[in-house]
Amino acid sequence: MYVLLFLILISQGIHCLQCHQDERSTLLQLKSSFTISTSTDFYDYDDQYYKSTWPPETDSWDENTNCCTAWSGVTCDNASWHVIKLDLSCSSRILGTLSSNNSLVFLNHLQRLDLSRNDFRGSPTSSKFGQFKNMTHLFLFESNFSGLVPLEISNLSNLISFELSSYEFRATAEMKAATFKAIVQNRKSPKQLLLASVYMSNVPPSLMMNFSSSSLESLDLSFCFCKKIITCKYVQYIRLQPFITKYFTNNVSKIIML
Ligand SMILES: *[C@@H]1O[C@H](CO)[C@@H](O)[C@H](O)[C@H]1NC(C)=O
Ligand SMILES: *[C@@H]1O[C@H](CO)[C@@H](O)[C@H](O)[C@H]1NC(C)=O
Ligand SMILES: *[C@@H]1O[C@H](CO)[C@@H](O)[C@H](O)[C@H]1NC(C)=O
Ligand SMILES: *[C@@H]1O[C@H](CO)[C@@H](O)[C@H](O)[C@H]1NC(C)=O
Ligand SMILES: *[C@@H]1O[C@H](CO)[C@@H](O)[C@H](O)[C@H]1NC(C)=O
Ligand SMILES: *[C@@H]1O[C@H](CO)[C@@H](O)[C@H](O)[C@H]1NC(C)=O
Ligand SMILES: *[C@@H]1O[C@H](CO)[C@@H](O)[C@H](O)[C@H]1NC(C)=O
């Protein structure tokens, strides 16, 4: 009797240390939908050199191992064993499209998602990215996402950092005024908003003024095609055009857009 109970406890204990089955299959499905580029070195527009991770993170994603402990780029909560961080940044340049109904939503405990420095071939910035209740960091920069930034991004009420910069001279992603307004006026708006090359010409300067009441600390609006003058009272770091970067130690009152 006690032996049986002991065995049940043990098996449950072992079960708890495994990653969740649905999250594992979501990750495997994701892996199978991408190819990996063989050119692993590249420069960004700041002329910074990056070397992609090799072997790619996903090489360690073996269905016979525990995704929480053996899979590179995957971090689980050590109490619930749900996947809370997924880092595929620069993962040897993932190539592939991420459909708008992508299965990432099944990782609904994610707090940090980093897909930066890959090539998602102009995939839309999925509205599903707005479904993660506890998301604090969403890094999609230099990854060839395009289209409208979905309004649902403003649903991420715990978001600290949102980065979608692409540093290409032509904008491929676009932010509507209503979306920008919803993000900035969130009860708890982000601290970092890096949106270089996101087309924002429809965002009126009056909306930019509302940064003064937000918690924003860093703002990158280079190549945004924004208009006229913006007033950002508390922003400490701002970049409006390439090579025009300012760190402010004091409050800023006015910046002329170039
Ligand atoms: C998870 O483990 C780390 C390191 O051992 C610890 O600092 C952290 O508090 C743990 N978190 C939880 C939720 O148990
Ligand atoms: C997404 O939609 C396409 C077409 O509607 C479908 O074939 C595919 O299975 C869907 N993918 C997921 C992950 O639901
Ligand atoms: C979000 O965080 C809260 C507080 O840590 C936790 O209770 C809740 O289960 C989390 N929800 C998800 C979907 O991860
Ligand atoms: C982005 O994706 C498009 C569509 O596949 C492709 O033509 C373009 O070369 C990609 N851009 C970059 C910088 O990878
Ligand atoms: C997310 O945002 C959309 C558009 O703002 C809204 O219609 C929807 O109800 C929101 N969903 C949640 C779960 O808050
Ligand atoms: C800026 O914020 C204030 C107070 O939250 C609000 O009354 C005003 O309408 C906002 N301005 C714009 C342009 O949205
Ligand atoms: C900006 O000015 C306000 C009041 O004018 C002050 O409370 C705040 O501390 C200042 N912030 C910085 C970063 O200097």
Side-chain angles (χ1 to χ4, degrees):
M1 174 65 187
Y2 286 113
V3 171
L4 188 62
L5 195 62
F6 181 71
L7 284 178
I8 288 172
L9 283 176
I10 288 276
S11 69
Q12 294 222 328
I14 287 170
H15 176 74
C16 287
L17 292 174
Q18 295 293 329
C19 61
H20 293 258
Q21 195 51 45
D22 54 339
E23 297 186 344
R24 176 212 300 273
S25 32
T26 294
L27 290 167
L28 287 173
Q29 193 191 335
L30 205 63
K31 174 183 173 178
S32 67
S33 66
F34 299 136
T35 54
I36 301 290
S37 161
T38 45
S39 65
T40 59
D41 301 345
F42 58 99
Y43 293 85
D44 80 354
Y45 108 111
D46 273 339
D47 255 359
Q48 277 195 60
Y49 171 75
Y50 292 101
K51 196 163 177 56
S52 301
T53 351
W54 194 265
E57 311 286 15
T58 49
D59 270 17
S60 62
W61 295 11
D62 181 324
E63 59 183 312
N64 298 313
T65 55
N66 184 347
C67 77
C68 287
T69 52
W71 293 17
S72 187
V74 178
T75 308
C76 297
D77 183 274
N78 44 11
S80 71
W81 295 93
H82 281 297
V83 176
I84 53 170
K85 292 182 193 166
L86 180 59
D87 183 357
L88 291 177
S89 150
C90 214
S91 189
S92 307
R93 295 293 258 179
I94 287 171
L95 281 176
T97 50
L98 200 61
S99 67
S100 49
N101 64 346
N102 68 77
S103 56
L104 275 175
V105 288
F106 297 117
L107 304 176
N108 65 341
H109 296 269
L110 275 185
Q111 295 167 12
R112 193 179 179 107
L113 174 62
D114 191 345
L115 299 177
S116 62
R117 301 203 171 98
N118 289 299
D119 184 357
F120 290 102
R121 313 306 273 160
S123 296
T125 316
S126 170
S127 59
K128 299 280 173 69
F129 286 132
Q131 289 188 2
F132 303 98
K133 293 257 179 310
N134 289 345
M135 180 75 76
T136 56
H137 295 79
L138 181 54
F139 298 139
L140 306 176
F141 61 93
E142 288 177 60
S143 280
N144 206 357
F145 282 104
S146 68
L148 284 180
V149 176
L151 184 58
E152 284 80 1
I153 291 291
S154 64
N155 288 358
L156 299 174
S157 54
N158 291 305
L159 199 61
I160 292 169
S161 189
F162 178 46
E163 303 190 17
L164 186 62
S165 294
S166 84
Y167 304 121
E168 286 199 36
F169 294 87
R170 70 196 153 77
T172 55
E174 178 179 354
M175 175 92 83
K176 293 276 191 215
T179 307
F180 188 72
K181 184 172 176 175
I183 293 173
V184 171
Q185 293 183 346
N186 223 330
R187 188 175 45 81
K188 218 172 107 193
S189 57
K191 285 185 163 63
Q192 277 99 35
L193 210 45
L194 306 189
L195 302 170
S197 288
V198 176
Y199 185 74
M200 289 175 52
S201 83
N202 295 317
V203 178
S206 59
L207 260 187
M208 307 271 184
M209 293 182 190
N210 268 2
F211 282 139
S212 55
S213 57
S214 79
S215 56
L216 198 69
E217 288 169 3
S218 306
L219 176 67
D220 189 343
L221 293 179
S222 37
F223 308 111
C224 74
F225 299 93
C226 302
K227 294 187 191 105
K228 295 178 192 163
I229 293 169
I230 64 171
T231 306
C232 311
K233 273 212 168 135
Y234 305 106
V235 181
Q236 282 157 33
Y237 161 86
I238 192 161
R239 174 143 88 174
L240 298 176
Q241 289 293 330
F243 319 115
I244 302 183
T245 299
K246 292 188 178 183
Y247 293 90
F248 298 106
T249 47
N250 294 311
N251 284 330
V252 185
S253 56
K254 255 183 197 174
I255 294 160
I256 314 285
M257 298 299 282
L258 299 171

